[in-house]
Amino acid sequence: MKRKNSPILVIDSGVGGLSILYELAIKNPKNDYIYFADYNAAPFGQKSATYIRKRLIENIRLLDKKYHPQGVVIACNTATAVGVSVVRRVFCDKFIVGTEPAIMPAIRAGKKNILVLATPNTIKHSKILSIAAEDTSSNITFLSLPNLASLIEDNIDDLALLRSIIRAYIAPYIHKTDAVVLGCTHYIYIRPILKSLFTSDVSIYDGNAGVAQQTIKKATRGGEGRIDVITNMPSKGVNLVCAWDILLNKGV
């Protein structure tokens, strides 16, 4: 049952969705938030669609019993692509907001050569990417990165170690791109590296502002501004602390 001033549940498989939680906390600081990192199922980007859907439903049911959230933010592009429709059917008493690659803002901005960085499942299942692929006004390239989210997760305390790996991924596109779309919330943390590798006129887009905007529209206002971050793998708590520190102090 939705209660007045109930918290908003934000869910992902690791540190990626914290960037959405941060956006929400900045734009709507008086609401209460529960962030759940499902490390036991990480990374979502490498799991089957069936597994991700089952996992989302199980986790939300468990957390609903304890926290009674008014709504759920699926802070993962892959989980949204494969599971948001099912979650909306099962939890029809709550608002459900998904996360999608911000490719349409890049197209609307008139960008002609757009590079979308995403997991294989997001590229395969995302409706917004399927629609964008039919756009004839832009040249859209989808770069599938199966392991990058895991690398970011494992090196969140020193992301500079990934610079050479990231450069190798994007080398063929550096001088052929005028916009980069980050199709995974984990990729937010490597924005500074991407900025340093592309020329200064290349725009980098992510979907976080849109997710926050949609959530704020749907949410019942009010609360104490409380943020609880929980995980089913306590040993990964240091990752979450490190990522939050990046968001608070260094920015992305």
Side-chain angles (χ1 to χ4, degrees), residues 191-214:
R191 184 195 296 270
I193 295 176
L194 291 170
K195 282 185 176 179
S196 72
L197 292 173
F198 285 97
T199 57
S200 60
D201 60 338
V202 174
S203 301
I204 300 178
Y205 295 84
D206 68 73
N208 287 12
V211 173
Q213 183 179 15
Q214 289 300 312

Side-chain angles (χ1 to χ4, degrees), residues 2-237:
K2 184 172 75 172
R3 300 174 180 174
K4 186 177 180 180
N5 300 337
S6 295
I8 297 168
L9 173 62
V10 183
I11 189 168
D12 188 21
S13 62
V15 300
L18 283 177
S19 61
I20 289 179
L21 175 66
Y22 178 76
E23 191 89 18
L24 284 166
I26 292 295
K27 293 185 175 179
N28 200 20
K30 292 186 178 180
N31 272 90
D32 296 331
Y33 301 95
I34 305 294
Y35 183 84
F36 177 65
D38 185 11
Y39 275 108
N40 284 339
F44 282 158
Q46 295 181 22
K47 299 298 192 298
S48 71
T50 300
Y51 177 85
I52 294 170
R53 293 181 192 118
K54 179 181 178 182
R55 196 74 187 179
L56 284 172
I57 292 169
E58 288 176 347
N59 285 330
I60 295 171
R61 277 180 175 157
L62 181 65
L63 294 163
D64 187 32
K65 289 180 181 178
K66 184 172 183 179
Y67 297 104
H68 309 287
Q70 58 175 291
V72 180
V73 178
I74 303 176
C76 171
N77 289 268
T78 297
T80 297
V82 304
V84 70
S85 296
V86 174
V87 170
R88 284 178 175 144
R89 287 198 300 270
V90 174
F91 301 97
C92 55
D93 62 323
K94 306 179 187 303
F95 71 81
I96 309 294
V97 176
T99 304
E100 293 181 322
I103 192 167
M104 298 312 293
I107 292 173
R108 287 194 293 267
K111 301 300 181 179
K112 298 303 181 184
N113 296 292
I114 302 171
L115 178 64
V116 180
L117 308 179
T119 68
N121 266 335
T122 296
I123 293 172
K124 180 179 179 181
H125 294 283
S126 173
K127 292 181 180 178
I128 194 69
L129 292 187
S130 297
I131 293 170
E134 299 174 0
D135 183 271
T136 57
S137 65
S138 301
N139 176 32
I140 303 171
T141 301
F142 301 102
L143 182 56
S144 176
L145 300 168
N147 301 312
L148 184 55
S150 293
L151 288 171
I152 292 168
E153 188 76 52
D154 294 341
N155 294 278
I156 193 66
D157 59 334
D158 191 1
L159 291 169
L161 294 173
L162 301 181
R163 181 181 172 83
S164 61
I165 295 173
I166 294 166
R167 182 179 178 84
Y169 285 147
I170 66 171
Y173 313 99
I174 288 178
H175 300 294
K176 302 177 181 178
T177 299
D178 58 5
V180 177
V181 175
L182 305 181
C184 172
T185 52
H186 275 77
Y187 301 172
I188 305 296
Y189 297 97
I190 61 166
R191 184 195 296 270
I193 295 176
L194 291 170
K195 282 185 176 179
S196 72
L197 292 173
F198 285 97
T199 57
S200 60
D201 60 338
V202 174
S203 301
I204 300 178
Y205 295 84
D206 68 73
N208 287 12
V211 173
Q213 183 179 15
Q214 289 300 312
T215 303
I216 292 168
K217 284 181 180 179
K218 295 175 181 293
T220 300
R221 300 294 181 92
E224 300 176 357
R226 182 183 177 90
I227 298 175
D228 291 324
V229 178
I230 57 176
T231 179
N232 49 18
M233 191 178 291
S235 62
K236 292 291 187 178

